Amino acid sequence: MTSPSTQGLGAEVLAQLPIAAISQTIGGEIVAVNDEAVRILGIEAAELIGRTPEAGGWLPVHEDGTPFTPEDRPDRVAVRTGRAVRNVLMGTSDGHGPRRWFRVSSEPRLATNGAPVSVLTLLAEVTDGQRRLRELVELISLSDDMMTRHDLTGRCVWASPATRELIGSGPRYVVGSPGLPTAAADDDERLLADVESTVDAGEDDLPHRTWRATRIDGSVRWVETHGRLQRAEDGSPTGFALFHRDV
């Protein structure tokens, strides 16, 4: 079901999309949704149209559990930058049921002068995949090797308990930090260059690297790291996982 008028894509086009789709004004107000969006969100179209996501009480969070600010949301970033934002992992909850996870992509519709006039947001539910991932993470937590997961900017979104053994502090110390935990700036630059070249080559495995980790007590350890890109169902990269061993 869609609203009678749409400032974004035409209502007929929106209805034909095979994935959950929401059309919004540049101010964030929802002006149209398709049937798939109604189905996966469990909210009637009449309750969605005319509201902003904040008013919907969805409480979106990043993978590490930190909340999205309104300006962090993919639709806001797309409007602000005038560029598409792809495959952002977002957890939502109405405060009562279990948290659900979605891959969210937003693309602005631009006027002839390049200014955004509306934004289209697509949602794909990945809750089952996140549940399987958590089960895998529980197994990884038993390993002596440290594991970290990162978004494509290099920001760490998760770290295993073995972080404490390797760098002398728990996972909270590294989650949210850019690049390799406690690494020198040049090591971080090489890591991001490796990720970029791996994406460009259409490959998955990141090259092995040895880098210097400075522990909380000031001592230095040499660490060998290898990793692998993580991809969405359509094959587009969404982040990468790294495995670290004290050598």
Side-chain angles (χ1 to χ4, degrees), residues 57-74:
W58 295 334
L59 306 176
V61 297
H62 293 278
E63 187 175 8
D64 62 6
T66 58
F68 277 85
T69 67
E71 291 306 308
D72 283 340
R73 293 198 332 260

Side-chain angles (χ1 to χ4, degrees), residues 149-165:
R149 296 182 60 234
H150 305 255
D151 62 23
L152 287 176
T153 69
R155 176 176 176 267
C156 180
V157 298
W158 179 85
S160 70
T163 304
R164 185 174 300 280
E165 175 63 25

Side-chain angles (χ1 to χ4, degrees), residues 92-101 127 131 134:
T92 65
S93 171
D94 60 7
H96 302 291
R99 183 172 292 163
R100 298 167 66 195
W101 293 93
T127 301
R131 185 178 299 113
R134 285 197 299 273

Side-chain angles (χ1 to χ4, degrees), residues 114-208:
V117 294
S118 65
V119 61
L120 175 69
T121 295
L122 305 177
L123 304 95
E125 185 164 10
V126 293
T127 301
D128 287 344
Q130 283 299 110
R131 185 178 299 113
R132 290 193 295 270
L133 179 60
R134 285 197 299 273
E135 292 171 353
L136 176 60
V137 164
E138 289 177 0
L139 292 175
I140 291 171
S141 68
L142 302 176
S143 172
D144 292 333
D145 291 342
M146 177 175 135
M147 176 184 174
T148 54
R149 296 182 60 234
H150 305 255
D151 62 23
L152 287 176
T153 69
R155 176 176 176 267
C156 180
V157 298
W158 179 85
S160 70
T163 304
R164 185 174 300 280
E165 175 63 25
L166 187 62
I167 67 170
S169 187
R172 289 187 178 183
Y173 182 80
V174 299
V175 170
S177 64
L180 295 165
T182 73
D186 56 343
D187 287 323
D188 271 340
E189 291 171 0
R190 281 193 290 269
L191 169 65
L192 292 178
D194 286 343
V195 172
E196 184 176 353
S197 62
T198 301
V199 170
D200 290 344
E203 299 175 349
D204 289 323
D205 292 324
L206 300 173
H208 284 61

